[in-house]
Amino acid sequence: MIRKLLRRVFSKPLPDSSSSSPLVIPVATHGVRREQISPCAAKVVAALQERGFQAFVVGGAVRDLLLGKHPKDFDVATDARPEQVRAVVKRSRVIGRRFRLVHAYCGDEIVEVSTFRGEHGVAETDEARADEHGRILRDNVFGTQEQDAKRRDFTVNALFYDPQSQEIWDCTGGYRDLQARRLCMIGDPATRYREDPVRMLRAVRLAASLGLAIEPRSRAPISELAPLLHHVPPSRLFEEMLKLLLSGQSQECLRQLREEGLHHGLFPMLDVILEQPMGERFVNLALANTDRRIKEDKRVSPAFLLAALLWHEVLNAWRQAEAEGFKPVPALYQAMDQVLASQAEKLAIPRRFCSPMKELWALQQRFAHRSGKRPFRLPEHPRFRAGLDFLLLRCESGEVAPELGQWWADFYAADEVARLQMVTPEPRPRRRPRSRKGAGSREAPAAEPTSGRLAGE
Ligand code: ATP
Ligand code: MG
């Protein structure tokens, strides 16, 4: 308390990342009020502080609040050990191996509570905690608040907020960097990227989505160290890629990824897709559409976006399977499996996304049929709306005629009577039955395309 008071009285200059005493910034300066903290995080912090522990809201939430953005989630950092947190916060459990954390639950909300991380002790050899490229494999050594700040990635991510006093504690100069809209790695950037190459992707995502500039020292080693991403487990890469695509600034993120040379080998199909004129337009439209939905606070489905990114791969494989003699529908199913098998391996797409992706692709084939009874069943499909949005994007990209998408949008909006007028009659079977009874009373059917893929082209 006395230290805090002295600090305020003498109003020290803002610290840089090598400085050791935290700067305490009062609410009158930074403007973040305790009401802006989620009730769950505030409750967890209060419970820990009541038991005599240090506890703060930390990381992305503090950064986002300072930028006037709505935080996605709230993390808490404390000097209490995971078991002690468990004992204080009734609805909680310990998770993780690489980092042991506590998840605290309040209704639907989950607050992640981590114990301050510290320097590694001499007892633990470097071999035991890092791989041969310097990547940290385990990190469960506890430490002080200041050590914890320095083990975080960027200075703007290392700010601590105390809801009780409404103060921000800054050990690394993050407050000043945020004001200057600057993203600075804490410590030696090359060493920190080697410890965890995903930090390079985080640098690009945070810079692009928050409108920060990566400061030259933190940017310099990225292109050289980019190949280290190959040693990161695919499931972690997939998670980070998804965060990037769903950041609301996906196009800007991808532009910066390419600029930093980080897209190769990370999302290999992206290179392939972007080399095809049709594919590039479609992917860009899908990304722009996702960014817009996020800005409008609408729901976005990762499966939709992934299905869009791989759609032209599926189309190619579909054409190939048809050329090999498969009928359109089996050819499509074979193409979907083939694309998913090769991508799932490279990208570790979790199984939960694969079936909605397949459903979206399979619906595209069904949109080809606009005669007889078949169109009437389609709007009842649980993924019809998403399927139609997907079709409209295909139209916009020039892959299929806009008329097909418009027809389905109109059909969806129409009532039963109008729908009956819209459909063309069922095409006659190729081999006619012997009896010609009634044949003269029907109009000649409009030709149904033989392949769903070609519909509307
Ligand atoms: P967002 O939630 O908006 O994606 P975030 O910064 O909150 O961004 P999280 O993944 O929620 O990201 O991480 C919470 C905090 O943990 C970060 O703010 C940072 O302090 C720390 N952190 C996350 N990933 C790393 C990392 N790879 N290396 C060091 N510190 C990290
Ligand atoms: Mg976060």
Side-chain angles (χ1 to χ4, degrees):
M1 209 56 198
I2 291 166
R3 278 180 64 199
K4 259 195 271 173
L5 197 69
L6 285 175
R7 225 174 282 127
R8 260 186 242 159
V9 171
F10 293 109
S11 87
K12 281 192 177 184
L14 292 164
D16 60 34
S17 42
S18 60
S19 148
S20 55
S21 53
L23 177 85
V24 179
I25 306 155
V27 62
T29 307
H30 62 70
V32 176
R33 315 217 147 254
R34 65 171 73 88
E35 297 77 40
Q36 292 172 266
I37 304 299
S38 86
C40 189
K43 215 165 97 183
V44 170
V45 169
L48 288 164
Q49 289 181 342
E50 265 166 39
R51 301 293 171 96
F53 295 111
Q54 276 187 298
F56 298 87
V57 172
V58 69
V62 184
R63 174 200 71 210
D64 290 350
L65 287 171
L66 284 169
L67 288 171
K69 292 181 188 284
H70 191 70
K72 276 203 305 283
D73 43 43
F74 286 82
D75 299 327
V76 168
T78 176
D79 61 354
R81 301 294 166 103
E83 301 70 31
Q84 293 172 313
V85 177
R86 269 284 296 119
V88 174
V89 183
K90 290 292 162 262
R91 293 196 58 218
S92 64
R93 73 189 176 101
V94 179
I95 58 143
R97 259 164 42 112
R98 185 167 171 259
F99 298 103
R100 280 176 69 230
L101 304 165
V102 177
H103 271 177
Y105 306 92
C106 322
D108 284 350
E109 196 185 343
I110 300 176
V111 167
E112 213 164 84
V113 188
S114 59
T115 305
F116 295 147
R117 292 292 187 282
E119 305 291 329
H120 286 267
V122 276
E124 197 170 15
T125 64
D126 267 6
E127 264 169 68
R129 59 176 281 260
D131 70 7
E132 73 269 30
H133 308 285
R135 188 167 72 87
I136 290 190
L137 303 173
R138 275 179 299 110
D139 195 4
N140 277 320
V141 176
F142 301 126
T144 63
Q145 179 190 15
E146 199 185 318
Q147 286 169 337
D148 183 80
K150 291 189 172 158
R151 299 191 59 78
R152 292 177 182 272
D153 46 7
F154 303 99
T155 61
V156 297
N157 281 348
L159 297 168
F160 297 81
Y161 179 78
D162 179 352
Q164 188 62 35
S165 65
Q166 303 191 97
E167 289 166 339
I168 284 177
W169 289 39
D170 180 4
C171 306
T172 64
Y175 187 74
R176 180 185 54 192
D177 288 338
L178 204 56
Q179 283 182 317
R181 297 286 188 271
R182 202 164 44 207
L183 195 67
C184 303
M185 177 58 84
I186 298 167
D188 171 51
T191 310
R192 304 301 314 281
Y193 293 136
R194 280 182 197 284
E195 283 175 0
D196 182 4
V198 168
R199 289 173 185 153
M200 295 188 273
L201 299 179
R202 286 177 57 84
V204 170
R205 171 167 65 87
L206 293 172
S209 62
L210 301 172
L212 309 178
I214 309 176
E215 57 115 28
R217 211 178 56 94
S218 303
R219 192 178 166 199
I222 293 182
S223 55
E224 194 193 320
L225 298 180
L228 291 180
L229 282 167
H230 291 294
H231 307 290
V232 176
S235 58
R236 187 141 182 252
L237 275 188
F238 177 82
E239 239 174 68
E240 194 51 40
M241 195 67 200
L242 210 56
K243 279 192 183 181
L244 200 138
L245 294 174
L246 300 176
S247 67
Q249 294 286 348
S250 64
Q251 285 183 297
E252 182 53 23
C253 283
L254 290 177
R255 194 191 63 72
Q256 288 203 27
L257 274 187
R258 281 206 291 276
E259 207 172 284
E260 305 298 339
L262 286 174
H263 62 304
H264 285 296
L266 170 64
F267 216 73
M269 280 306 134
L270 211 58
D271 286 338
V272 179
I273 293 161
L274 296 179
E275 276 157 22
Q276 312 163 20
M278 279 292 211
E280 178 171 3
R281 194 164 149 64
F282 183 68
V283 167
N284 281 334
L285 280 169
L287 293 173
N289 181 51
T290 307
D291 287 352
R292 193 172 53 244
R293 288 184 71 91
I294 290 170
K295 278 190 201 97
E296 289 167 2
D297 250 352
K298 288 190 184 153
R299 218 181 67 83
V300 287
S301 130
F304 185 97
L305 190 58
L306 293 167
L309 290 179
L310 298 177
W311 172 240
H312 278 257
E313 286 300 302
V314 173
L315 272 183
N316 275 342
W318 189 3
R319 278 184 199 120
Q320 241 170 44
E322 277 189 307
E324 284 162 19
F326 284 93
K327 291 223 164 81
V329 175
L332 171 60
Y333 278 81
Q334 168 158 321
M336 297 194 301
D337 287 341
Q338 190 184 316
V339 169
L340 276 178
S342 72
Q343 282 299 322
E345 204 177 291
K346 280 187 212 132
L347 297 177
I349 299 179
R351 289 177 75 86
R352 67 179 187 282
F353 294 133
C354 291
S355 59
M357 285 167 76
K358 278 168 106 169
E359 279 183 309
L360 271 172
W361 290 332
L363 271 172
Q364 302 311 304
Q365 193 274 333
R366 294 179 65 185
F367 283 127
H369 305 290
R370 289 187 275 170
S371 61
K373 291 189 191 123
R374 285 213 260 180
F376 290 89
R377 287 196 293 267
L378 212 50
E380 286 154 28
H381 191 286
R383 289 193 201 279
F384 177 84
R385 276 295 326 175
L388 177 58
D389 285 345
F390 199 95
L391 176 66
L392 292 173
L393 276 182
R394 292 172 63 206
C395 295
E396 214 179 324
S397 74
E399 184 217 330
V400 285
E403 180 266 330
L404 182 70
Q406 190 56 53
W407 190 91
W408 275 103
D410 294 343
F411 187 78
Y412 181 60
D415 62 18
E416 202 62 17
V417 180
R419 281 182 181 182
L420 277 168
Q421 285 166 349
M422 285 177 75
V423 291
T424 50
E426 194 84 69
R428 285 182 206 164
R430 289 216 181 101
R431 266 191 226 117
R432 291 206 188 140
R434 271 204 200 129
S435 155
R436 294 179 54 81
K437 207 172 129 191
S441 62
R442 291 181 70 181
E443 275 177 27
E448 187 89 342
T450 51
S451 158
R453 172 169 54 74
L454 297 174
E457 274 180 350

